Amino acid sequence: MTREMKNSREIPVFFAVDNGYCPFLAVAIQSLIDNSSADNRYLIKILNTDISNENKRRIAKYERSNVDIEFVDLNYYIQKIKDKLYTRDYYSKTTYFRLFLPNLYPQYDKVLYLDSDIVILDDIAKLYNIEPGTDLVAAAPDDIIQFNEVFQVYAEKVVGVADYRRYFNAGVLLMNLHEMRRFRFQEKFIYSLDRITFAVAQDQDYLNRLCKGRVKLIERTWNRMPIEDPKIRTEDVKLVHYNLAFKPWHFEDILYKEFFWLYAQETEFFDEIQSIRESYTEEERFRDNQAHERLKRLAKKESDCVGDDRRFR
């Protein structure tokens, strides 16, 4: 075991955002700070290609004595393959940036990657200090998959995971960069990108395909989505992930919305976020509500195009 793989006081945390998502990034960072420990140093690195200088200045204000913030411009790095990075709906190409971390940061043996549509309710160092062993990633099962049969079939038939219950959400990841480099992860991802198209969850599907068999599953309380589940108590939730259309800045009736607004009001983006909520139209809400059904239809169509030998398992 290398020195970096033991409990560490330096916690590298990566986000990836475009300019329009900076208000929500600020909320995520505020929640990280409010639940941080003075015993740790949090190294926040924000992967991007288009953040304005004004937004960089505003986000940089969240630095503290034990919180460093660095903006990492990836324009140069993705220039050769950016046309291959396909997206759909509201996704941007920033969603792929996490896949380049093993080669971008050879100085780290492991890092945290977090989506920006989250709030953190516990010290994120506790997640970082989970020991991944020789697994490539540590992550929580995806709640959307766990509660929907169409997506369960898609995960097993199209993505190829042996059991849908092991299909993980890639928005909260402990990445074992040391093992990912040994596995030649980036090389295999780019090879796969030329030959396999995942239309439903894109980079998340690639991660599940490439990492299957080498995933350490963590508690779903570390990646809790706003979906009712009587098995999980609110007081046990450590991180809320407002993924897909479950955005409290778009809808009023989102589970755990109180946590988002608690931290949002501490940021200088609060008025801006409120304005986003107030100006969001009924047409846009209708479109978001329809997006989930479109995604289910797409997953079913993809699954219907693949043979099914799961009965022989």
Side-chain angles (χ1 to χ4, degrees):
M1 182 186 300
T2 61
R3 178 180 56 83
E4 292 84 355
M5 297 295 277
K6 299 176 182 177
N7 286 3
S8 173
R9 292 194 173 185
E10 280 200 346
I11 316 297
V13 182
F14 286 81
F15 294 92
V17 296
D18 56 27
N19 195 56
Y21 230 74
C22 283
F24 315 114
L25 170 65
V27 177
I29 292 175
Q30 185 68 61
S31 68
L32 184 154
I33 290 169
D34 285 1
N35 293 284
S36 64
S37 167
D39 293 334
N40 299 317
R41 188 170 189 83
Y42 302 84
L43 310 177
I44 298 176
K45 300 183 186 297
I46 302 167
L47 309 176
N48 73 96
T49 58
D50 69 342
I51 296 181
S52 68
N53 288 332
E54 173 62 13
N55 274 336
K56 288 180 181 178
R57 182 191 66 78
R58 296 170 77 187
I59 294 292
K61 288 183 180 180
Y62 296 98
E63 283 196 318
R64 300 291 187 272
S65 59
N66 67 329
V67 178
D68 296 335
I69 296 177
E70 177 187 0
F71 296 91
V72 182
D73 188 329
L74 286 189
N75 274 296
Y76 78 97
Y77 197 81
I78 67 167
Q79 192 64 36
K80 292 182 179 178
I81 64 167
K82 64 180 181 180
D83 292 337
K84 300 179 182 180
L85 304 178
Y86 57 92
T87 60
R88 61 162 178 79
D89 296 341
Y90 41 77
Y91 287 95
S92 74
K93 293 183 179 181
T94 58
T95 191
Y96 286 97
F97 290 175
R98 75 199 81 181
L99 305 183
F100 305 122
L101 289 176
N103 289 21
L104 274 172
Y105 285 89
Q107 67 269 42
Y108 292 135
D109 276 358
K110 67 174 179 176
V111 302
L112 287 174
Y113 170 84
L114 305 175
D115 277 352
S116 299
D117 51 355
I118 64 167
V119 292
I120 300 162
L121 306 178
D122 202 345
D123 186 358
I124 201 67
K126 295 179 182 177
L127 177 58
Y128 179 79
N129 285 326
I130 289 175
E131 175 53 63
T134 58
D135 288 324
L136 300 178
V137 297
D142 191 300
D143 279 346
I144 301 296
I145 301 290
Q146 308 311 307
F147 294 102
N148 192 292
E149 185 178 358
V150 170
F151 294 127
Q152 293 168 8
V153 173
Y154 172 84
E156 294 184 355
K157 287 182 63 179
V158 179
V159 180
V161 297
D163 185 331
Y164 72 84
R165 288 166 292 192
R166 297 195 64 83
Y167 181 98
F168 62 88
N169 179 269
V172 178
L173 284 178
L174 176 62
M175 303 178 67
N176 189 344
L177 301 192
H178 174 71
E179 288 295 328
M180 293 178 88
R181 285 189 291 269
R182 292 184 62 191
F183 180 66
R184 304 199 315 277
F185 177 87
Q186 183 170 311
E187 175 187 332
K188 293 174 180 178
F189 162 62
I190 293 174
Y191 176 87
S192 300
L193 195 61
D194 281 331
R195 289 158 178 82
I196 305 169
T197 300
F198 289 121
V200 174
Q202 295 144 1
D203 62 303
Q204 180 168 288
D205 286 341
Y206 284 112
L207 274 161
N208 272 274
R209 172 101 168 198
L210 289 167
C211 296
K212 65 178 182 177
R214 298 187 66 181
V215 179
K216 183 181 185 68
L217 292 182
I218 61 175
E219 294 179 5
R220 287 165 50 225
T221 52
W222 274 114
N223 190 351
R224 182 74 182 104
M225 299 173 191
I227 301 172
E228 294 285 354
D229 184 352
K231 295 179 181 178
I232 296 182
R233 301 182 305 169
T234 299
E235 56 266 33
D236 294 332
V237 175
K238 299 177 177 66
L239 184 152
V240 181
H241 186 184
Y242 304 100
N243 68 325
L244 297 179
F246 297 107
K247 311 301 187 195
W249 55 92
H250 289 165
F251 294 91
E252 293 290 340
D253 57 343
I254 299 298
L255 188 64
Y256 306 129
K257 66 179 181 180
E258 66 274 16
F259 297 123
F260 175 82
W261 293 111
L262 173 69
Y263 295 108
Q265 68 184 357
E266 293 188 54
T267 75
E268 70 171 67
F269 289 89
F270 181 58
D271 290 343
E272 191 173 327
I273 295 171
Q274 282 192 309
S275 178
I276 291 170
R277 178 179 62 176
E278 291 165 3
S279 63
Y280 210 66
T281 66
E282 288 306 314
E283 181 181 350
E284 288 172 313
R285 292 188 178 96
F286 176 78
R287 180 202 64 196
D288 285 349
N289 282 324
Q290 292 299 304
H292 184 68
E293 291 305 314
R294 289 199 304 272
L295 190 58
K296 283 172 65 176
R297 290 195 296 270
L298 178 59
K300 187 176 188 311
K301 184 177 292 186
E302 291 282 315
S303 298
D304 287 345
C305 293
V306 180
D308 191 357
D309 61 355
R310 290 174 300 160
R311 66 186 183 278
F312 298 120
R313 287 187 311 198

